């Protein structure tokens, strides 16, 4: 079995704006102080999937930057989507692209912008997931054993145990619960048997394309039409035509919730989707006053503030509390820490204010 | 009479940091949205003192920038002080430099970084002041009729009326009251006969140098030693030696409070010393939510905030109130509006934090 990986890097840069932007989305940033998240995602697969079998699916505008960031990948492995069409189309494109490289490829599909440790545990789970779908010809999603009643994630209710693969249990999937309210999330956590949906999948390319054709022809057909052009000079035009027609829908909603062939593999590594500046705080070391941040800082009578600055810049705070203070590119952004999730409202407001250039 | 002007532009850039810095102090900024304050100060004298008789005394590091900003001035009229020695030394240097240009010059000396309007009223008061000191051979300070019990200024208690010059009354000076507390300031305002000391003076150069020699030899002697070198290739070395020896003291404290020859000319134009970001707000138009600022702004659920940004930059605020948010150069600064006066504490803290480069 030659295992392939498809890393979905289509994020648009609104959650960490202005640190992330359309030009430099979250996955291209070293948010936690190490390497850019996309590089860390590729590195995490080391030993499981080699660079020549690792695909990146990103926006067309990010292709050159991603290639430059990942020189170990063959340039053609970085695929540019001409417009954002959510994850179903991206998964389909990845499946077709794998088939260019192998007759009957198995692939794992995963996000580009999460924090996961230890990498070995992730690889171990992914290897078991890949082995399972080789055997079943079905689809598989990784589910994380929850540690808190999170309201921001999708949850998966496990069905019966179906098998054990290399020490990993594999279950059927009873249903999906999308972003429950707090009371519901607490009930799910207390009940057990409910996992967080990580957006990390395993399937054989043929199996995925078969299920896609059955449940989501609005994506399957346009993307199938692209396949003959992949790797040819006509690729960009074919992609443009296909993405004009393809439905924008998540692979979870469009395929995984509809198929009968889905299984879930529970896993338990440390994981964070870094959904906002608030999440970022969990990965940076706070000073005695609860302040976290990157770059040079001068803090006087300041507590519980999160800061972010361009390299070589200083953030100086006097007498403030509970703020997020970001300067990046040509933008200074300030908001209360508790409203980190609302930063995208600023991004959404740029257009109407004639400030599109700052998005 | 050939009237000269000396504009003291030695400000060090701590009050509006990081908008103002050592490299670009307050007087070099267009803080109120028009021209840089120094240029506005020169322009305000138009018709009273021509450029060729206008001197600028600034720090040596600012000489080139000031010359570039004021191309109408002969380059030698911009004098660089090798180190900051407060206003007594600067006034002495200006007096000696005027004597290079005229035998018996009268000069007005004024700050470079205040907002004054209308200019005509200022010129009218300065002209009367100059006429008075031509007659008396004494020293004269302008006093502003106060409009509120300000605690941040020096106050002057008027003595008896001594004369009327072109419709302006001139009084003796009874005493100086330096930065009174609130109760004291209210009493001074209620009592009448107490004016704000604007730091704007008139005297004949000879008269000033005579009083300086009498009351402040610690400045008079080093600066007298510079005089023969002014306008020669030895000027910079002579200044360096003189400023090494000269006492750092204000002209108010070192000369004006000690001389018997001081008079005060009351005046009543609009004046603001722009002492902090809080003062700046009085000169910018607020939106309906009380926000004022320069540059592109995107404000969501934000009230009573003051912003400042580099040209071409955006300030985006969400859900905050009563903040000063500044990005300039390579620094982002945030503080409550009510603590604008404390911004200098950040500047003072830079050295100890190893962040001198940002001062």
């Amino acid at each position: 079995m030659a295992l392939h990986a498809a890393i979905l890097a289509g994020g648009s840069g609104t959650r960490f704006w202005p640190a992330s932007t359309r030009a430099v989305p979250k996955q291209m940033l070293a948010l936690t102080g190490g390497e850019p998240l996309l590089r860390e995602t590729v590195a995490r697969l080391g030993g499981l999937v080699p660079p020549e079998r690792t695909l990146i699916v990103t926006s067309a505008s990010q292709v050159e930057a991603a290639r430059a960031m990942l020189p170990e990948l063959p340039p053609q492995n970085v695929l540019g989507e001409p417009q954002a069409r959510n994850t179903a189309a991206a998964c389909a494109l990845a499946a077709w692209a794998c088939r260019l490289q192998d007759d009957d490829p198995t692939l794992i599909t995963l996000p580009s912008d999460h924090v996961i440790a230890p990498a070995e545990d992730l690889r171990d789970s992914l290897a078991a997931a890949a082995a399972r779908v080789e055997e079943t010809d079905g689809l598989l999603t990784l589910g994380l054993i929850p540690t808190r009643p999170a309201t921001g994630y999708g949850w998966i209710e496990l069905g019966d145990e179906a098998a054990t693969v290399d020490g990993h249990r594999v279950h059927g999937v009873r249903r999906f619960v999308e972003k429950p309210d707090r009371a519901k999330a607490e009930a799910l956590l207390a009940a057990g048997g409910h996992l967080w949906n990580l957006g990390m999948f395993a399937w054989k390319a043929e199996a995925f394309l078969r299920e896609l054709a059955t449940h989501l022809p609005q994506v399957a057909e346009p993307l199938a039409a692209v396949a003959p052009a992949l790797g040819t000079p006509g690729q960009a035009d074919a992609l443009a035509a296909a993405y004009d027609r393809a439905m924008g829908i998540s692979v979870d909603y469009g395929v995984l919730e509809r198929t009968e062939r889905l299984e879930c593999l529970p896993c338990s590594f440390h994981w964070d989707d870094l959904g906002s500046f608030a999440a970022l705080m969990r990965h940076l070391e706070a000073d005695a006053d609860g302040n976290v941040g990157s770059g040079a800082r001068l803090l006087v009578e300041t507590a519980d503030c999160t800061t972010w600055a361009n390299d070589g810049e200083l953030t100086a705070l006097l007498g403030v509390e509970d703020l997020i203070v970001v300067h990046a590119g040509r933008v200074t952004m300030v908001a209360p820490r508790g409203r980190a999730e609302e930063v995208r409202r600023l991004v959404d407001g740029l257009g109407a204010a004639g400030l599109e250039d700052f998005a």
Side-chain angles (χ1 to χ4, degrees), chain A:
Chain A
M1 162 180 97
L3 185 59
H4 296 248
I7 297 172
L8 307 188
S12 62
T14 59
R15 286 167 175 270
F16 283 86
W17 184 83
S20 63
T21 58
R22 277 195 304 230
V24 186
K26 172 188 164 199
Q27 63 270 17
M28 306 301 271
L29 293 175
L31 273 182
T32 56
E35 293 224 75
L37 297 172
L38 175 60
R39 265 204 75 78
E40 290 190 340
T41 301
V42 171
R44 223 177 271 131
L45 300 177
L48 182 66
V49 185
E52 62 271 19
R53 292 203 301 270
T54 300
L55 297 173
I56 310 293
V57 181
T58 188
S59 68
S61 64
Q62 290 298 313
V63 166
E64 287 314 312
R67 285 175 178 159
M69 186 174 281
L70 300 164
E72 66 273 34
L73 265 62
Q76 69 272 18
N77 281 22
V78 180
L79 294 156
E81 298 182 288
Q83 53 185 299
R85 279 289 179 258
N86 212 326
T87 51
C91 288
L93 177 59
W96 285 113
C98 283
R99 290 187 70 211
L100 282 189
Q101 300 185 327
D102 265 314
D103 277 347
D104 187 20
T106 299
L107 74 153
I108 54 179
T109 302
L110 63 170
S112 59
D113 57 355
H114 295 177
V115 169
I116 299 170
E120 196 180 337
D121 290 0
L122 171 69
R123 289 193 298 267
D124 199 46
S125 295
L126 291 172
R132 176 65 180 168
V133 298
E134 295 252 321
E135 200 179 293
T136 62
D137 204 34
L139 311 186
L140 189 147
T141 182
L142 264 55
L144 194 75
I145 296 167
T147 51
R148 54 191 167 89
T151 55
Y153 307 144
W155 294 62
I156 296 166
E157 182 180 348
L158 293 181
D160 296 333
E161 183 167 331
T164 299
V165 181
D166 298 335
H168 296 264
R169 293 175 298 125
V170 177
H171 286 255
V173 170
R174 198 158 287 147
R175 64 184 179 117
F176 286 76
V177 183
E178 197 48 37
K179 297 187 181 174
D181 62 23
R182 181 78 187 191
K184 186 75 179 284
E186 282 172 354
L188 298 180
L189 184 66
H194 292 81
L195 307 186
W196 292 343
N197 181 6
L198 303 185
M200 299 201 268
F201 315 116
W203 43 62
K204 296 179 77 166
E206 296 297 341
F208 176 74
L209 293 171
R210 182 191 69 224
E211 296 298 316
L212 186 75
T214 302
H215 299 290
L216 198 57
Q218 304 94 323
V219 171
E221 286 171 15
L223 271 291
V226 169
L230 289 177
T232 76
Q235 175 174 315
D237 286 348
L239 279 171
Y243 273 71
D244 260 352
R245 292 168 52 211
M247 176 184 277
I249 186 171
S250 75
V251 70
D252 307 78
Y253 189 66
V255 181
L256 304 188
E257 295 192 23
R258 299 175 184 185
T259 179
E260 303 287 309
R261 305 293 303 273
L262 183 67
E263 293 182 332
C264 180
L265 187 145
C267 45
S268 64
F269 37 74
H270 170 76
W271 170 89
D272 195 321
D273 76 340
L274 290 182
S276 72
F277 280 110
L280 185 59
M281 296 186 316
R282 298 193 287 263
H283 297 271
L284 299 171
E285 197 172 342
D287 69 16
D289 298 315
N291 301 298
V292 301
S294 65
R297 290 180 295 160
L298 179 64
L299 308 179
V300 175
E301 295 170 19
T302 287
D304 300 322
C305 286
T306 300
T307 63
W308 174 276
N310 291 347
D311 277 353
E313 300 224 328
L314 172 68
T315 307
L317 307 181
L318 169 77
V320 292
E321 290 188 2
D322 275 315
L323 293 180
I324 303 165
V325 177
V326 179
H327 183 84
R330 297 174 296 128
V331 181
T332 304
M333 191 281 294
V334 181
R337 248 191 193 181
R339 299 182 71 174
E341 307 277 351
E342 296 178 58
V343 166
R344 58 175 60 197
R345 291 178 60 194
L346 289 169
V347 185
D348 292 344
L350 289 170
L355 299 166
E356 266 293 306
D357 283 357
F358 294 104

